[in-house]
């Protein structure tokens, strides 16, 4: 079956947060992590069929979603989970916030890589918890956590290690040896681990594999909260269906207690969409990955040909982490906006020298963005 990722769908006058940001300004929105691709037909048809029912009262968890989740994780990642481990959530971000509040108190700290997806930083701040940052280092064209200098940064009151695999914004897919080092660090400092694995299906580099942190060992499973969702993979983030997988019954109990009365259940249409995506969307996903890989390769080639910019090829996601420190501007995001490019600001992730480029767009949009990027760099010369 052929899938048309070149199809232009005008989102400027829809309810798109991404495209509303700049209104009628001539700025290409390349920031928030949703793609401009139409979701798979299996998802659209499932939502239509559910809507035809015409009654939208309180919903229960569909057994089909639980079944396909269990089956998918075992088939793709060799991870055998139990139904009771699954906690449905209306988004991964609330899972990050619940983890901070459930597993630390006001005197305890969280630990997270930096730069990192902004809600990691915000979750600690909103809960009034300190956060220790472990810097990412560029090693062999991959962004890796610097665990060697980590002990000197710690205060002794750390309780929660917050991981992101594949890494956002760097795009690294951690190898088993790297994950085992993270586990050893967690064991050494007696840390619970919250692992955001929302981009696990979006692997662009041939030969890399996603390894869930919880599969490393029984100890890893018993200290972990794993956050997953089909939302980024199948462009259904606006529907909001995610999961926390928590094998440890005591951790699961605390997590569920913390959400009571605060975090609502998942929308019934979101549950329908999630099940349909995981059950019938894999052919579409394979085609999307091929398209994104070509976008990535084109972007990396063009960025690294421009003076003042550099970018390593992300192994996963549709997000490019671009080093603009060579431009000599104080605010790279603002500079690029003046030239019609709306990137995510690097300072939101913890490093203002960078911008994040969402290349989950049509090839025509990508080529226009590259042309604007070239003009922006030429204006600095």
């Amino acid at each position: 079956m052929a899938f048309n990722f070149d199809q232009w769908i005008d989102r400027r006058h829809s309810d798109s947060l991404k495209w509303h940001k700049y209104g009628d300004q001539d700025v290409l929105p390349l920031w928030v992590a949703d793609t401009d691709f139409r979701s798979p037909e299996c998802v659209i048809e499932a939502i239509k069929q559910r809507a035809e029912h015409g009654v939208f009262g309180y919903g229960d968890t569909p057994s089909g979603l639980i079944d396909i989740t269990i089956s998918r994780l075992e088939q793709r990642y060799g991870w055998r989970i139990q139904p009771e481990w699954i906690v449905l959530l209306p988004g991964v971000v609330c899972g990050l916030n619940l983890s901070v509040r459930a597993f630390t108190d006001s005197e305890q700290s969280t630990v997270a890589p930096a730069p990192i997806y902004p809600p990691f930083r915000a979750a600690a701040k909103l809960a009034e918890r300190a956060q220790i940052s472990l810097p990412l280092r560029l090693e062999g064209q991959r962004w890796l956590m610097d665990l060697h200098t980590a002990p000197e940064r710690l205060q002794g009151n750390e309780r929660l290690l917050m991981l992101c695999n594949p890494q956002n914004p760097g795009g690294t897919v951690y190898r088993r040896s790297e994950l085992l080092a993270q586990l050893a660090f967690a064991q050494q400092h007696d840390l619970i681990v919250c692992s955001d694995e929302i981009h696990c299906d979006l692997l662009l580099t041939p030969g890399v594999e996603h390894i869930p942190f919880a599969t490393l060992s029984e100890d890893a499973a018993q200290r972990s909260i794993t956050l997953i969702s089909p939302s980024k993979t199948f462009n259904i983030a606006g529907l909001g269906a995610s999961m926390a997988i928590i094998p440890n019954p005591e951790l699961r109990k605390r997590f569920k207690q913390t959400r009571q009365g605060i975090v609502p259940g998942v929308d019934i249409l979101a549950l329908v969409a999630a099940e349909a995506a995981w059950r019938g969307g894999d052919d579409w996903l394979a085609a999307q990955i091929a398209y994104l890989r070509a976008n990535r390769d084109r972007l990396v080639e063009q960025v690294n040909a421009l003076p003042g910019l550099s970018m390593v090829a992300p192994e996963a996601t549709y997000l490019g982490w671009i080093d603009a420190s060579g431009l000599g501007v104080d605010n790279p995001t603002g500079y690029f906006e003046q030239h019609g490019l709306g990137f995510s600001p690097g300072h939101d992730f913890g490093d203002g020298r960078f911008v994040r480029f969402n290349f989950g767009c049509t090839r025509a949009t990508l080529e226009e963005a590259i042309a604007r990027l070239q003009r922006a760099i030429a204006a600095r010369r």
Side-chain angles (χ1 to χ4, degrees):
M1 182 182 297
F3 303 99
N4 184 13
F5 294 98
D6 287 321
Q7 180 185 7
W8 166 250
I9 299 174
D10 189 355
R11 304 178 70 195
R12 286 188 181 276
H13 304 292
S14 70
D15 55 5
S16 169
L17 173 70
K18 178 180 179 180
W19 284 85
H20 269 195
K21 180 175 181 178
Y22 296 104
D24 292 327
Q25 300 178 62
D26 184 20
V27 178
L28 285 178
L30 303 160
W31 62 291
V32 68
D34 74 8
T35 69
D36 290 328
F37 307 139
R38 180 180 170 91
S39 293
E41 285 303 315
C42 61
V43 171
I44 297 168
E45 288 303 315
I47 292 173
K48 286 180 179 178
Q49 290 179 24
R50 180 61 184 87
E52 283 294 324
H53 183 268
V55 179
F56 307 101
Y58 295 116
D60 196 5
T61 303
S63 60
L65 175 57
I66 301 301
D67 292 343
I68 191 59
T69 300
I70 293 171
S71 173
R72 186 178 185 83
L73 291 177
E74 182 170 5
Q75 290 177 5
R76 295 180 76 93
Y77 309 115
W79 187 14
R80 296 183 179 181
I81 70 170
Q82 300 301 316
E84 62 268 22
W85 297 0
I86 299 173
V87 181
L88 292 175
L89 298 169
V92 159
V93 170
C94 68
L96 296 173
N97 283 270
L98 286 171
S99 294
V100 171
R101 294 169 190 245
F103 306 122
T104 66
D105 62 34
S106 60
E107 303 302 318
Q108 295 174 321
S109 299
T110 64
V111 182
I116 194 67
Y117 177 49
F120 280 70
R121 295 154 54 86
K125 184 176 181 179
L126 290 169
E128 298 183 338
R129 310 293 199 259
Q131 186 167 91
I132 307 298
S133 294
L134 302 183
L136 296 178
R137 306 293 189 195
L138 190 57
E139 300 181 19
Q141 297 297 295
R142 297 172 66 242
W143 292 102
L144 300 176
M145 277 196 298
D146 183 2
L147 293 176
H148 301 294
T149 62
E152 64 192 45
R153 299 172 180 272
L154 305 185
Q155 304 296 316
N157 64 340
E158 295 78 17
R159 185 56 180 148
L160 180 68
L161 174 61
M162 305 179 74
L163 301 177
C164 189
N165 180 32
Q167 211 277 334
N168 177 7
T172 299
V173 179
Y174 291 118
R175 309 302 192 256
R176 183 173 298 276
S177 61
E178 294 158 355
L179 290 168
L180 287 171
Q182 295 169 13
L183 173 59
F185 177 80
Q187 292 169 330
Q188 179 182 358
H189 300 285
D190 192 24
L191 302 174
I192 297 167
V193 177
C194 176
S195 182
D196 172 5
E197 303 184 8
I198 194 172
H199 290 104
C200 63
D201 285 344
L202 290 167
L203 306 185
L204 305 184
T205 299
V208 302
E209 62 172 334
H210 175 72
I211 302 172
F213 179 87
T215 65
L216 295 175
S217 69
E218 183 60 22
D219 179 83
Q222 291 303 314
R223 67 172 69 241
S224 67
I225 300 92
T226 303
L227 303 176
I228 63 169
S229 174
S231 62
K232 302 297 184 183
T233 307
F234 298 98
N235 202 23
I236 52 175
L239 289 168
S242 302
M243 296 179 181
I245 302 175
I246 312 175
N248 185 307
E250 178 57 30
L251 296 185
R252 189 166 63 248
K253 178 181 177 181
R254 289 164 60 182
F255 188 91
K256 293 170 78 171
Q257 286 177 336
T258 303
R259 76 171 290 173
Q260 286 183 354
I262 301 173
V263 178
V266 181
D267 178 273
I268 53 177
L269 294 182
L271 296 173
V272 167
E275 179 179 349
W278 275 342
R279 196 173 293 281
D282 282 345
D283 288 344
W284 181 94
L285 172 57
Q288 180 190 215
I289 287 174
Y291 193 91
L292 290 173
R293 183 184 297 124
N295 274 7
R296 177 200 66 177
D297 294 347
R298 173 69 173 159
L299 180 63
V300 170
E301 175 190 44
Q302 293 300 306
V303 166
N304 288 320
L306 294 172
L309 299 182
S310 64
M311 172 187 170
V312 300
E315 296 174 320
T317 79
Y318 44 80
L319 307 166
W321 187 234
I322 299 176
D323 184 348
S325 58
L327 279 186
V329 298
D330 293 333
N331 179 4
T333 309
Y335 178 76
F336 286 124
E337 283 180 347
Q338 294 171 14
H339 290 83
L341 294 162
F343 298 137
S344 294
H347 66 75
D348 289 351
F349 298 79
D351 194 333
R353 301 172 300 170
F354 286 73
V355 294
R356 194 187 72 173
F357 186 128
N358 177 350
F359 56 85
C361 57
T362 67
R363 197 67 42 78
T365 300
L366 179 67
E367 292 299 334
E368 175 60 24
I370 289 171
R372 294 185 184 202
L373 197 60
Q374 291 168 338
R375 291 195 291 270
I377 301 306
R380 289 291 298 165
R381 300 177 66 182

